[in-house]
Amino acid sequence: MKKTNRRILSMLLLVCMLVTLVPFTASAAANNVSVTSAAYYGNGDVKSLNINFGWDTASASSRLTVMTKRLRSEGESGTDKYYGDFTDLGYYGSAFKSWNEVLGNAGSFGMLYYTDEQKMEYGKTNSIELYFDQGDIPLNTNQTYYFYLWTYYGGHYYPDNLFMVLEVKNGTIRFASATGRNDYGKFSTLKSNVPATPEFKDVKKADYFFTPVNWAVSKGITNGTSATTFAPNSTCTRAQILTFLWRAAGSPMPSIANPYKDVKASDYYYNVALWAKEKGIYAPSGNTFGPNTPATRGATVEYFWRYAGSPSATRVPFSDVAENSTLDKAVSWALRKGITNGTGGTTFSPNATCTRAQIVTFLHRYFVTPLDNSSLITSLTKAATQTVTSMKLDPNPPEDYRKHPEWYGSLTPAYKMSDERLLAEYENIQKVIEDFRNRGIYMSDGPYSRELDLWAEVSKRGLDD
């Protein structure tokens, strides 16, 4: 045999030996990934996903993880070799001896979910069903979630291939399957929470709260009380209004221990109560939260004001809001922010309770479209400079007003009246107030407070349709 041929043969034998000695570690990968079904919690958060996929290499045992951070493969900028520098060409980067070791570094990966070991079979359609806790993948928080396979090979766990990407943005959930290595393809819509107008029989297009209700439901801030009702006139509780605000803020998770004796981990408002305490939005000195306490107009604007960071604002005077009080600062800010306005005349009615319709309207004005209160602010500021003696006193009050002072006072509680009398008194007090306004006559807060009480009861009974 010629010398040249011997040299070639020797080189071939050496290559064969090296191939035999070096373990083949090319990574496995899924293909044709598709979400075949999905389920959601009442507020739109992802509850479960059923995923089908193929498998392009030999059967293997892997875990699927869901992470908020994207791993970097070799050659990409920002590579961190300790935390999973990998490609699909046989280089895996860091090896973890046990799954507990992986979990010890879970925070570095942004890992929020992982499955048990799954048997991925070559040549078959594989299926994985994932179940999430409410708040794991919220609908109203923009975030991208990276689904990675971690393969068990040679006694170690390795971050293997990107499996799928889930994107939540502006109330829409989309998914894209991985196309090889650490890349992924085009997105397909999985769920869009920008639906057609909800068919609530108690929400009409002419209602002031029509757009806010539609917006709040589409954003997962609240739902209807049934498939066909929203109950706009139902009173909101402290737990409910703070939950609405929490969801509108992106459902942030608190980091404090539970300080309340009347709040359990199983309560829907558990994270809400702790978040409000931690952020100083509602932070009582005691150990009770009072979730079922009716939310008042005064408390509502204070919640919004504290959520915004307790900003300063030039005072807007109301006759029933004490100057320089915390409420005064919050109300002045809320009025200038365009979140709310008064209840008539120079009153704000801070102790009047808020309804579901009013709360979602406040939220919509804060986050989307504020009121233009410039004219109201000017008139209130001007009215505050006038004294009672500079205004006309009533020389000849309307006949009904003189005969029936209890209609504007507080002698007969509105809830004790029959529907007929309630409507009559409500109509009358509106005429009284309009008459006084037209004649430029000063009125005390009594008639305005009475009008508000009557209106609240009329609305509660559904008599204002």
Side-chain angles (χ1 to χ4, degrees):
M1 184 179 294
K2 293 183 179 181
K3 187 175 183 180
T4 301
N5 290 340
R6 287 199 190 102
R7 184 175 299 167
I8 293 173
L9 180 59
S10 298
M11 290 177 65
L12 288 173
L13 289 172
L14 179 60
V15 169
C16 290
M17 290 175 65
L18 289 173
V19 170
T20 304
L21 292 172
V22 178
F24 179 69
T25 58
S27 63
N31 54 43
N32 300 321
V33 177
S34 64
V35 179
T36 56
S37 65
Y40 307 91
Y41 290 97
N43 67 343
D45 293 359
V46 177
K47 185 175 184 180
S48 66
L49 298 173
N50 191 281
I51 305 170
N52 284 353
F53 58 96
W55 193 249
D56 68 0
T57 52
S59 299
S61 292
S62 297
R63 291 176 184 266
L64 182 63
T65 64
V66 180
M67 305 188 293
T68 57
K69 295 182 181 179
R70 183 184 177 200
L71 297 178
R72 296 293 180 180
S73 60
E74 188 177 25
E76 292 187 80
S77 60
T79 295
D80 184 340
K81 291 189 176 181
Y82 185 73
Y83 292 122
D85 180 8
F86 69 104
T87 70
D88 63 353
L89 301 177
Y91 176 66
Y92 290 91
S94 298
F96 295 88
K97 295 179 180 179
S98 69
W99 190 246
N100 285 336
E101 186 180 354
V102 176
L103 296 182
N105 294 276
S108 300
F109 301 121
M111 190 183 296
L112 60 86
Y113 179 94
Y114 63 91
T115 68
D116 293 331
E117 287 193 20
Q118 307 283 328
K119 183 69 171 179
M120 314 301 185
E121 297 189 59
Y122 173 73
K124 294 184 178 180
T125 298
N126 295 270
S127 179
I128 294 180
E129 190 149 15
L130 313 178
Y131 295 93
F132 300 95
D133 290 334
Q134 188 166 351
D136 279 354
I137 302 182
L139 180 65
N140 59 332
T141 300
N142 294 346
Q143 177 71 58
T144 302
Y145 301 89
Y146 301 95
F147 292 58
Y148 279 100
L149 288 169
W150 288 67
T151 301
Y152 188 73
Y153 177 84
H156 295 83
Y157 279 100
Y158 299 89
D160 204 331
N161 271 277
L162 180 64
F163 180 84
M164 185 182 81
V165 177
L166 196 71
E167 179 189 73
V168 183
K169 188 175 183 180
N170 298 328
T172 298
I173 301 177
R174 306 189 305 162
F175 78 94
S177 96
T179 57
R181 297 195 180 182
N182 199 20
D183 202 2
Y184 51 93
K186 294 182 179 180
F187 282 103
S188 299
T189 298
L190 181 63
K191 173 183 174 62
S192 178
N193 202 31
V194 185
T197 302
E199 295 296 331
F200 295 134
K201 63 183 181 182
D202 52 2
V203 178
K204 304 177 178 64
K205 286 188 176 181
D207 293 329
Y208 75 88
F209 48 81
F210 176 80
T211 297
V213 167
N214 187 28
W215 167 79
V217 172
S218 72
K219 292 297 182 182
I221 295 170
T222 183
N223 298 311
T225 52
S226 74
T228 58
T229 59
F230 183 78
N233 299 316
S234 295
T235 299
C236 251
T237 65
R238 175 176 295 146
Q240 290 169 339
I241 182 175
L242 287 174
T243 297
F244 293 170
L245 181 57
W246 177 72
R247 289 173 180 164
S251 305
M253 290 296 103
S255 58
I256 63 171
N258 182 11
Y260 300 118
K261 64 180 182 181
D262 57 349
V263 175
K264 304 186 298 296
S266 57
D267 293 327
Y268 75 86
Y269 50 81
Y270 176 78
N271 287 323
V272 175
L274 272 59
W275 168 75
K277 172 80 171 181
E278 182 178 29
K279 299 301 181 183
I281 297 169
Y282 177 67
S285 56
N287 60 356
T288 56
F289 177 67
N292 298 318
T293 302
T296 63
R297 285 172 53 83
T300 299
V301 296
E302 287 195 29
Y303 295 153
F304 277 80
W305 177 65
R306 292 192 178 103
Y307 169 74
S310 304
S312 59
T314 303
R315 183 173 188 254
V316 180
F318 282 102
S319 60
D320 54 357
V321 177
E323 187 173 359
N324 293 325
S325 63
T326 299
L327 177 62
D328 185 34
K329 297 174 183 177
V331 168
S332 297
W333 168 81
L335 205 75
R336 293 185 179 279
K337 185 71 175 177
I339 298 172
T340 183
N341 48 29
T343 53
T346 62
T347 60
F348 183 77
S349 303
N351 296 321
T353 55
C354 283
T355 64
R356 283 168 53 83
Q358 291 168 344
I359 294 303
V360 296
T361 300
F362 291 162
L363 286 165
H364 186 259
R365 290 171 182 167
Y366 179 78
F367 287 98
V368 184
T369 307
L371 292 170
D372 180 2
N373 283 334
S374 54
S375 297
L376 175 60
I377 292 170
T378 299
S379 63
L380 286 168
T381 304
K382 183 178 179 180
T385 64
Q386 296 179 311
T387 62
V388 173
T389 55
S390 68
M391 302 180 70
K392 290 190 298 181
L393 296 179
D394 181 16
N396 185 25
E399 187 67 19
D400 286 343
Y401 179 72
R402 187 169 59 244
K403 285 184 177 181
H404 300 283
E406 75 276 8
W407 283 13
Y408 64 87
S410 57
L411 299 179
T412 305
Y415 71 88
K416 289 186 177 181
M417 298 180 186
S418 65
D419 289 354
E420 183 178 4
R421 183 180 178 188
L422 178 65
L423 288 171
E425 293 195 10
Y426 180 47
E427 180 180 357
N428 185 77
I429 195 65
Q430 289 179 308
K431 290 179 180 178
V432 169
I433 292 175
E434 186 63 26
D435 178 77
F436 273 52
R437 282 175 175 165
N438 290 339
R439 292 192 285 148
I441 298 172
Y442 171 78
M443 297 181 68
S444 66
D445 293 343
Y448 293 113
S449 297
R450 184 59 170 172
E451 179 194 26
L452 185 63
D453 289 342
L454 294 171
W455 170 82
E457 186 64 25
V458 167
S459 298
K460 182 177 179 182
R461 298 186 192 183
L463 301 177
D464 54 348
D465 293 337

